[in-house]
Amino acid sequence: MITVEHLTKRYADLVAVDDISFGVERGEVVGFLGPNGAGKTTTMRILTGFLPASAGRVTVAGFDMATQSLEARRHIGYLPENVPLYPEMRVSEYLNFRGRLKGLGRRRRRERLAEVMELCGVTEVATSVVGHLSKGYRQRVGLVDALLADPEILILDEPTIGLDPNQIRQVRQLIRDLAQGHTVILSTHILPEVEMTCGRVIIINRGRIAAMDSTQALVRGEGQAVTVVAVVRASAGSARPEQAEGPGEAEAVRKSLAVIPGVKRVAWHHQEGVEEFRIEAEPGRDIREEVFQRVARGGWALLELRQEVRTLEEIFVEITAGE
């Protein structure tokens, strides 16, 4: 649905976007992330036809954004971070006006307005003056506008900004539902939202793509060492009551875990009467079952066993701060 080839945007001597390429397929929900000043907003404005590119090519639904801008934009619904609304108009008047601009006939416009206003939760403020609305409601009015013409592609810049937790959950579910019939590019600084909503992530930094992969692959860190955490009570009260709690027993647990095939190192520390072992294994090795068996055979009590998974926020900071 969207193809970006060697896209570049320059402002005099400043290169805001530096030769980036990516594609978004039909039905995908893609998180487009980057720190402030990374070129993220500039890229989104080029994708939606608000800015021309200095070099490169963008095609939307098969139409070239540079030479067939009107045709390409008919396939896009865009929600900018700062929604441009007319504050003196009532909500229903504004959305009806926007529907006419998008070429919707009277009957179709009436049907879509009722449907999308209900979907986005703005029916109750239909007669309110836009300028009197809260930030959250203004954001939702902008989302209605983006959905009004039922576009194939939605480009959403910070769609949950200003919303309360319940509204954020509603918008998150709405985006998931929209993905069944739309292609969605979502930009947000709320990274847990991306983890729960997006199937793929593109991270841009200093005008270049710093990472691009499925959300699952990024979070699981494919190709990186696996860390398993085991919390063990290495003391009396288990199958070996003659043992006494202490560094010697914890060291025995560590040595037992260290010889598991694929384990690279084991570190431990004492914490509130138990020992926490951090076991680093080779990439792709799931050692949890072997850890359980070793602890059970040793007669120790296994209180907790988990494989550590990095958050998208940690990955984002690592990528953007490390470059």
Side-chain angles (χ1 to χ4, degrees):
M1 289 299 290
I2 299 176
T3 303
V4 177
E5 299 173 317
H6 304 291
L7 183 65
T8 299
K9 180 64 179 178
R10 299 184 185 89
Y11 297 97
D13 295 332
L14 173 66
V15 180
V17 180
D18 190 3
D19 192 26
I20 68 172
S21 300
F22 63 89
V24 181
E25 301 297 328
R26 183 184 298 274
E28 273 197 293
V29 181
V30 175
F32 193 61
L33 311 177
N36 293 333
K40 178 178 82 282
T41 299
T42 299
T43 301
M44 296 183 76
R45 287 176 177 171
I46 295 172
L47 294 183
T48 52
F50 280 78
L51 282 176
S54 301
R57 186 168 183 254
V58 174
T59 58
V60 174
F63 297 100
D64 190 306
M65 186 57 78
T67 60
Q68 300 169 294
S69 178
L70 286 177
E71 291 87 345
R73 283 187 285 167
R74 287 192 181 101
H75 294 268
I76 297 174
Y78 178 40
L79 175 67
E81 179 179 355
N82 298 307
V83 184
L85 304 174
Y86 293 136
E88 68 278 4
M89 297 182 74
R90 298 188 184 277
V91 170
S92 58
E93 293 172 342
Y94 170 76
L95 292 172
N96 193 57
F97 168 66
R98 292 292 296 161
R100 293 201 306 271
L101 289 181
K102 293 172 187 283
L104 298 180
R106 180 179 297 178
R107 182 176 178 180
R108 177 60 174 160
R109 188 166 67 245
R110 185 169 57 248
E111 291 173 350
R112 282 297 292 172
L113 272 174
E115 178 183 347
V116 184
M117 287 175 70
E118 179 67 27
L119 191 65
C120 297
V122 298
T123 304
E124 62 191 53
V125 296
T127 59
S128 300
V129 176
V130 170
H132 296 167
L133 296 179
S134 66
K135 173 68 174 177
Y137 270 117
R138 292 187 189 189
Q139 203 71 8
R140 284 195 270 176
V141 170
L143 188 56
V144 173
D145 185 2
L147 293 169
L148 203 50
D150 197 18
E152 297 172 81
I153 300 166
L154 292 171
I155 298 180
L156 310 177
D157 194 357
E158 300 288 353
T160 58
I161 191 170
L163 304 185
D164 65 39
N166 289 328
Q167 294 167 346
I168 288 173
R169 288 170 65 93
Q170 293 167 4
V171 171
R172 184 195 308 154
Q173 185 58 51
L174 174 60
I175 293 171
R176 288 199 196 102
D177 294 340
L178 290 171
Q180 299 176 15
H182 301 76
T183 300
V184 182
I185 296 181
L186 169 66
S187 175
T188 179
H189 286 100
I190 307 174
L191 299 188
E193 290 297 308
V194 177
E195 286 190 72
M196 289 182 280
T197 308
C198 301
R200 191 156 61 94
V201 174
I202 300 170
I203 299 177
I204 186 172
N205 191 36
R206 300 181 184 178
R208 289 180 170 269
I209 292 178
M212 181 166 55
D213 210 334
S214 69
T215 309
Q216 187 177 30
L218 279 175
V219 169
R220 290 192 174 182
E222 294 179 1
Q224 298 185 8
V226 175
T227 300
V228 171
V229 177
V231 179
V232 177
R233 180 176 290 115
S235 64
S238 61
R240 299 166 64 184
E242 71 280 3
Q243 295 172 344
E245 183 178 4
E249 192 62 24
E251 177 62 17
V253 179
R254 190 197 68 78
K255 288 181 178 179
S256 178
L257 298 176
V259 296
I260 294 173
V263 169
K264 299 166 67 175
R265 64 179 61 88
V266 180
W268 66 276
H269 71 274
H270 184 74
Q271 180 180 347
E272 297 181 358
V274 298
E275 315 300 330
E276 181 179 281
F277 296 87
R278 296 179 61 83
I279 312 149
E280 186 178 318
E282 296 172 353
R285 297 292 292 262
D286 189 349
I287 60 169
R288 287 174 292 180
E289 183 176 351
E290 183 66 21
V291 169
F292 170 79
Q293 291 175 353
R294 294 270 176 164
V295 173
R297 284 200 298 266
W300 302 296
L302 180 62
L303 304 181
E304 182 180 351
L305 180 64
R306 69 180 187 273
Q307 181 169 305
E308 282 199 339
V309 177
R310 296 185 305 166
T311 66
L312 189 58
E313 181 176 342
E314 290 170 334
I315 295 164
F316 179 86
V317 170
E318 179 182 313
I319 290 173
T320 58
E323 283 203 353

